[in-house]
């Protein structure tokens, strides 16, 4: 609930132009865009926000149900035509391109990504299905090439690793990729461990000596193969170096395959973004939750956050809500419907719970509950139930928006990044007009 009250007296207060709430892909991209435009920014959200995300960036892959697109721009045009409440209907292609370019340029020296200009690429997922996506970590790029060529390829996994099976991937793909083989090996010095955690292995491989030991075990297996695929755990902070050194040691191009959560590429992406932004004096990162947002009579927002020693506050001219959907509790589903818990914003949703889901769980059309969310105007200001902007200075972006069903349409990162830029540009424009 937004209440117009005077600012509470707090000892620990941060002043910034913008408070971004939520540190998933949307919040991080918004912070980057804001800082690049000299807007001082406080980003509030836990630093584990990306532990679940695969780290690959979809733009638009599927629409309508079952139709996969090679050209995401044609897909977006179709979406705008069919679903005028989709967030892409509020942004131009030039802005979407600019947003992706800006994120990609920022990451280049830290955690480089690759894409095939203008088209989707196809990547193998952890369950062995080919998936169309737009931008992938450089460490996965050889996987796109290997699949394209159907080259003789060996996929490896490690004894004790849960939820990732090289054998399952190879058998799921055998019809379309006959040259694919699989092998399970013991990770060096892990023989006594019952379970192998991807995060732990990734950190171990940041050290060159461990890469050498691993390559020694793999070398005898790769005589007839052109490419080698690994679960995505080749280094935490030094993934590019790890892949390069293993390529040299093994004499083959290698690639990573996304794993189920906990996802090392998701963690890498979050660390690269937050640490990269951290060098800016106008950026504050607060790894905690916002508990309340109010507004003073002087039209500043007061965001209350849980600090180490009690509550702290952020005083800002604008707030951008990027708190995501049900998983991150940006939306909460209850008996009476779906609510937005931080500011009690109006949520567009089916009239009753009976309308949330279609009869079949796997209905290719998806479920209406996944299109529920916050409706905004063209400047990404949230609207009341009667269609008025809630407050000047308040903006919303990312997966909390109504209309996207990102998981089914494969547009998660695209919507997150593009709407973050659109909202930040609106904030910049509003700031210069005052
Ligand atoms: C399992 C999984 C796999 C994915 N795979 C892909 C993929 O293959 N390709 C792709 O493009 N995208 C993928 N994504 C989606 C992508 O990472 C983003 O989740 C998506 O783009 C939406 O981002 P978001 O920032 O809007 O929301 P979220 O990622 O949900 O982030 C919102 C964050 O805000 C936090 N938050 C909520 N309330 C508060 C509060 N009061 N104070 C502070 N913080 C708060 C939440 O805890 C959460 O961490 C995946 C996501 C998941 C979960």
């Amino acid at each position: 609930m937004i209440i117009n009250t005077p600012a509470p007296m707090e000892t620990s207060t941060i002043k910034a132009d913008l408070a971004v709430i939520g540190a998933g892909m949307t919040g991080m991209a918004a912070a980057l865009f804001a800082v690049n435009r000299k807007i001082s920014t406080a980003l509030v959200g836990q630093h584990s926000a990306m532990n679940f995300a695969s780290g690959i960036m979809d733009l638009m892959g599927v629409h309508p149900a079952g139709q996969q697109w090679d050209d995401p721009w044609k897909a977006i045009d179709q979406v705008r035509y069919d679903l005028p409440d989709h967030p892409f209907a509020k942004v131009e292609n030039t802005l979407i391109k600019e947003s992706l370019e800006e994120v990609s340029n920022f990451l280049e020296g830290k955690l480089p990504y690759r894409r095939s200009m203008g088209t989707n690429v196809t990547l193998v997922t952890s369950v062995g299905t080919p998936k169309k996506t737009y931008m992938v970590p450089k460490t996965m790029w050889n996987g796109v090439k290997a699949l394209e060529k159907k080259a003789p390829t060996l996929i490896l996994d490690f004894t004790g690793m849960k939820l990732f099976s090289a054998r399952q991937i190879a058998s799921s793909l055998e019809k379309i990729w006959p040259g694919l083989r699989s092998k399970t090996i013991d990770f060096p010095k892990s023989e006594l461990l019952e379970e192998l955690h991807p995060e732990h292995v990734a950190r171990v491989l940041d050290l060159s000596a461990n890469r050498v030991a691993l390559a020694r075990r793999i070398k005898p297996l790769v005589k007839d193969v052109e490419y080698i695929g690994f679960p995505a755990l080749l280094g935490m902070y030094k993934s590019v170096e790890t892949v390069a050194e293993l390529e040299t040691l093994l004499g083959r191009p290698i690639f990573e395959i996304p794993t189920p959560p906990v996802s090392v590429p998701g963690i890498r992406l979050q660390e690269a973004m937050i640490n990269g932004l951290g060098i800016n004096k106008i950026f504050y990162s607060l790894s905690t939750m916002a508990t309340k947002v109010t507004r003073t009579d002087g039209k500043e927002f007061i965001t209350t956050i849980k600090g180490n020693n009690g509550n702290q506050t952020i005083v800002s001219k604008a707030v951008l809500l990027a708190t995501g959907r049900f998983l991150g509790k940006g939306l909460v589903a209850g008996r009476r419907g779906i609510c937005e818990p931080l500011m009690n914003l109006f949520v567009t949703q089916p009239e009753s719970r009976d309308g949330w889901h279609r009869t079949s769980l796997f209905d290719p059309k998806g479920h209406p509950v996944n299109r529920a969310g916050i409706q905004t105007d063209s400047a990404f200001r949230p609207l009341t139930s009667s269609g008025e902007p809630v407050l000047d200075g308040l903006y919303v972006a990312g997966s909390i928006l109504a209309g996207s069903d990102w998981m089914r349409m494969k547009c998660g990162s695209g919507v997150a990044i593009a709407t973050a830029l659109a909202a930040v540009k609106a904030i910049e424009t509003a700031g210069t007009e005052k």
Side-chain angles (χ1 to χ4, degrees), residues 22 24-26 49 52-54 56 58 131 289-290 322-324 328 399 406 412-413:
M25 193 66 236
T26 309
F52 292 101
S54 65
I56 60 179
D58 302 340
K131 174 190 159 156
M289 299 295 274
T323 46
S399 63
W406 67 265
S413 297

Side-chain angles (χ1 to χ4, degrees), residues 25 28 47-57 106-107 110-113 136-140 198-199 201-203 205-206 230-243 246 255-259 262-276:
M25 193 66 236
M28 291 189 305
H47 288 180
S48 55
M50 295 288 290
N51 285 10
F52 292 101
S54 65
I56 60 179
M57 298 194 197
F106 174 78
L107 288 172
K110 306 168 184 73
L111 185 69
Y113 271 66
V136 304
K138 186 181 173 195
T139 53
M140 295 184 188
E199 251 188 287
V201 175
R203 288 179 206 281
L205 286 173
D206 277 341
F230 290 82
L233 40 64
L234 301 180
M236 180 61 80
Y237 297 102
K238 296 184 177 172
S239 56
V240 174
E241 293 92 323
T242 303
V243 167
L246 286 173
F255 61 90
E256 293 188 304
I257 300 168
T259 65
V262 171
S263 158
V264 170
I267 300 171
R268 284 179 197 150
L269 180 56
Q270 182 138 29
E271 302 223 351
M273 296 284 295
I274 304 270
N275 293 341

